[in-house]
Amino acid sequence: MTHNRHLLCLAALAAALLVCPRLRAGGTDDAKQQPTNADIKALLEKLNEKLGNVEIDLKAMKSQRGQADARTQGIEEQLRILGDRLDAMEKRIDRLPANSRQSFFQPAPVPLAPPIGAGTLVLQNTWGDTATVTINDRPIFVPPYQTVTLSNQPTGPFTYDVQVNGYGRIRGPVSRFLDNNERIMISVYPLPAVR
């Protein structure tokens, strides 16, 4: 818009310089109608000045257009990258199996059926301290005056010993045999006072 305005101003200035000497002369003498060298020189200087301003305006417009083009290219590049990412995500989604669901909750454990040959061990602590009954090298803690029942124990031979806090081992090792459907009681009881 500024560029067009400057061009119109230049055209109007040139026309005015050419027409003004004719109007002063009255339009009767052809020699008087001709502009002098000084008029032409002044006109050329004004035209050069206006052309310089037009060039500056054109350079500014080109610079602004270049900056706008650079911004537009940057935006276009970002849109291209986003489009590529969207396409990649859509391809990944398409590769997913249909109607699949994933849960991190574990199902409830299925109760194990008792072994074909199984029995029960009952650990009874009638002592005022915690007892440890070790069966086949597996320690089981029995609180004071409590009973612990071990169901579904495999049949066959086993070894146990009994320890009480502060007293150490008070029984064992003892070897026994557990038959199918048998129930064996292991009691922890206070030792009789030694006299």
Side-chain angles (χ1 to χ4, degrees):
M1 177 110 112
T2 305
H3 173 66
N4 291 339
R5 192 178 316 140
H6 285 294
L7 289 177
L8 288 174
C9 288
L10 284 174
L13 180 63
L17 287 175
L18 293 174
V19 171
C20 283
R22 288 184 183 172
L23 291 175
R24 279 188 298 220
T28 56
D29 191 5
D30 283 342
K32 289 183 181 177
Q33 292 178 3
Q34 295 296 326
T36 64
N37 285 343
D39 291 338
I40 293 174
K41 190 174 183 182
L43 175 64
L44 288 176
E45 285 177 8
K46 287 183 181 181
L47 285 174
N48 278 335
E49 181 182 334
K50 290 290 184 182
L51 281 175
N53 290 339
V54 168
E55 285 181 21
I56 290 171
D57 287 345
L58 283 174
K59 285 181 183 178
M61 287 174 57
K62 285 182 182 178
S63 172
Q64 289 173 354
R65 188 180 324 143
Q67 290 172 354
D69 289 345
R71 272 188 253 130
T72 302
Q73 287 174 353
I75 292 170
E76 288 173 353
E77 179 65 18
Q78 289 176 353
L79 288 174
R80 186 191 62 76
I81 290 170
L82 288 173
D84 292 346
R85 286 183 179 173
L86 182 62
D87 289 343
M89 289 172 63
E90 286 175 347
K91 288 177 184 176
R92 284 187 203 147
I93 290 171
D94 289 342
R95 282 186 260 147
L96 290 175
N99 295 329
S100 68
R101 289 178 41 181
Q102 185 174 6
S103 174
F104 294 105
F105 290 101
Q106 298 296 324
V110 177
L112 297 176
I116 293 175
T120 303
L121 297 176
V122 178
L123 311 177
Q124 183 179 26
N125 184 2
T126 58
W127 201 299
D129 290 311
T130 300
T132 304
V133 179
T134 304
I135 302 173
N136 291 336
D137 297 324
R138 187 181 82 179
I140 299 162
F141 299 99
V142 184
Y145 308 111
Q146 299 290 318
T147 300
V148 174
T149 303
L150 304 172
S151 303
N152 300 322
Q153 296 300 305
T155 59
F158 68 95
T159 304
Y160 75 91
D161 66 26
V162 179
Q163 297 180 24
V164 176
N165 288 346
Y167 295 93
R169 181 181 289 164
I170 62 168
R171 186 174 311 126
V174 177
S175 294
R176 299 277 310 260
F177 190 90
L178 181 63
D179 284 325
N180 191 27
N181 294 325
E182 183 179 14
R183 181 180 178 101
I184 295 179
M185 174 83 68
I186 300 173
S187 293
V188 179
Y189 49 87
L191 296 173
V194 177
R195 291 189 185 193

